[in-house]
Amino acid sequence: MPTMRAAYASRFDDADPLAALTVGDRPDPTPWAEDWVTVRVLASSLNHHDLWSLRGVGLREDRLPMILGCDAVGVDPDGNQVVVYPLIADPGDPRGMSILSEHAPGTLAERVAVPRSNLLPLPTGLSVTDAACLPTAWLTAWRMLTTKGRVDEADAVLVQGAGGGVATAAVVLAVAMGKRVYATSRDAAKRDRVAALGATPVEPGGRLPERVDLVIETVGAATFDHSLKSAAPLARIVVSGATAGYEPTVNLRRIFAMQLEIVGTSMGTPDELTQVLAFCAAHGARPVIDSVHPFSRVGEAFARLGSGQVFGKVVVDHTS
């Protein structure tokens, strides 16, 4: 049986997820159906989803070993450079779909198998390392801003917890859209980097000079009260994560008195990924890349992501 090099979860370790990561040979991917094709991966990027998988969150033990990774740019069987949309139809999942590395092997390998319809052309002007950042974090941020957040109706946007992949993407995109953007971070150095991206940095819980029409919330309990207090009447608070607690105390009086909308979302559609790819190509918006690691040292990429010091995306170059 043909094999390939891959990074995969061999077991779970909640206390030390990196200890559950194995890098070694795995069988080549097996297409699930006739319309599936195999893509040679050129670049991928890591997400906190990968660390959660190593902890055993969202990944069942009976699916081990599981190749990790959701994002990829690669070469299709016809020689075209393509961006891989990471959600697949999955009748075995109660949601009707799953993301690569949950049921089907992921992208942190030499090759990945996906439905042909999940392949989008790599736009001219976008590098493979930039485009590899877009299918999960940037797609989520795009959907939060546009489809769910109706950013076209907003003048000002607050992004909580800038530094992570989704939050940093939201800052870059909202600035490129011409919005007044405020972004919080506990880290003074990250606040300086937020300012360099064109946003106004704010300390956690800090008072804004104005109330905003849209809040991008990926932090959770630690920032949710600040999100509520910073929201203007009729504002949208769009939630896609809870990295610092998923059970915030919520002042319901503020919600109904200010007529706020609290909206949940996750990922996005292939059309929305096409939109964000086109927007980045047309407007010069580019992912903030924290670091690029050769696939031969993919363990270092995971260590960087797990360090808590990341600003932007951690990318893996599969050509080295």
Side-chain angles (χ1 to χ4, degrees):
M1 178 180 296
T3 61
M4 62 181 181
R5 199 74 171 163
Y8 57 95
S10 54
R11 60 185 179 89
F12 300 137
D13 192 325
D14 185 52
D16 183 10
L18 297 184
L21 176 70
T22 300
V23 180
D25 289 339
R26 293 294 303 153
D28 268 17
T30 302
W32 281 12
E34 290 184 2
D35 64 331
W36 281 48
V37 296
T38 299
V39 173
R40 177 169 58 86
V41 180
L42 297 176
S44 62
S45 69
L46 301 188
N47 297 281
H48 278 91
H49 180 274
D50 301 308
L51 292 178
W52 286 114
S53 294
L54 292 168
R55 291 187 171 101
V57 178
L59 180 61
R60 297 205 318 251
E61 191 168 8
D62 62 359
R63 298 193 180 277
L64 297 178
M66 174 59 73
I67 297 174
L68 301 172
C70 310
D71 298 340
V73 172
V75 179
D76 72 9
D78 300 319
N80 303 305
Q81 289 191 339
V82 292
V83 181
V84 176
Y85 175 69
L87 288 178
I88 57 173
D90 188 347
D93 190 286
R95 301 166 296 180
M97 65 181 65
S98 62
I99 194 167
L100 292 173
S101 77
E102 288 182 333
H103 293 181
T107 59
L108 286 169
E110 294 180 67
R111 291 172 288 281
V112 63
V114 294
R116 185 178 286 276
S117 59
N118 282 48
L119 303 182
L120 305 176
L122 176 68
T124 301
L126 276 183
S127 70
V128 294
T129 50
D130 283 342
C133 300
L134 304 183
T136 298
W138 277 63
L139 173 59
T140 299
W142 178 265
R143 183 176 176 85
M144 293 178 80
L145 287 165
T146 59
T147 308
K148 297 292 187 177
R150 306 195 304 277
V151 71
D152 56 318
E153 302 173 16
D155 294 318
V157 178
L158 169 63
V159 179
Q160 296 282 19
V166 174
T168 305
V171 169
V172 174
L173 288 169
V175 168
M177 293 170 179
K179 307 301 176 179
R180 295 190 299 276
V181 181
Y182 304 93
T184 66
S185 176
R186 294 175 299 173
D187 188 316
K190 290 183 179 180
R191 291 197 297 273
D192 289 342
R193 296 195 66 176
V194 161
L197 294 176
T200 299
V202 181
E203 293 188 11
R207 186 180 182 89
L208 306 185
E210 61 179 320
R211 287 181 172 171
V212 301
D213 310 297
L214 174 58
V215 181
I216 301 299
E217 175 64 79
T218 64
V219 179
T223 58
F224 206 78
D225 185 60
H226 183 244
S227 293
L228 290 171
K229 291 178 179 177
S230 301
L234 304 176
R236 284 78 62 201
I237 301 174
V238 185
V239 183
S240 72
T243 56
Y246 55 88
E247 293 185 336
T249 299
V250 178
N251 185 337
L252 293 177
R253 290 177 297 181
R254 184 177 293 275
I255 293 173
F256 64 73
M258 300 287 280
Q259 301 186 61
L260 304 179
E261 297 178 42
I262 299 176
V263 183
T265 190
S266 179
M267 294 294 292
T269 67
D271 285 345
E272 287 166 330
L273 180 54
T274 299
Q275 292 166 16
V276 72
L277 285 164
F279 182 89
C280 290
H283 293 82
R286 294 293 184 271
V288 177
I289 294 179
D290 174 88
S291 52
V292 179
H293 304 260
F295 185 62
S296 58
R297 297 203 298 270
V298 66
E300 295 176 5
F302 273 86
R304 176 62 183 170
L305 181 64
S307 71
Q309 302 302 310
V310 170
F311 189 89
K313 294 290 291 180
V314 175
V315 175
V316 178
D317 180 357
H318 289 238
T319 65
S320 60

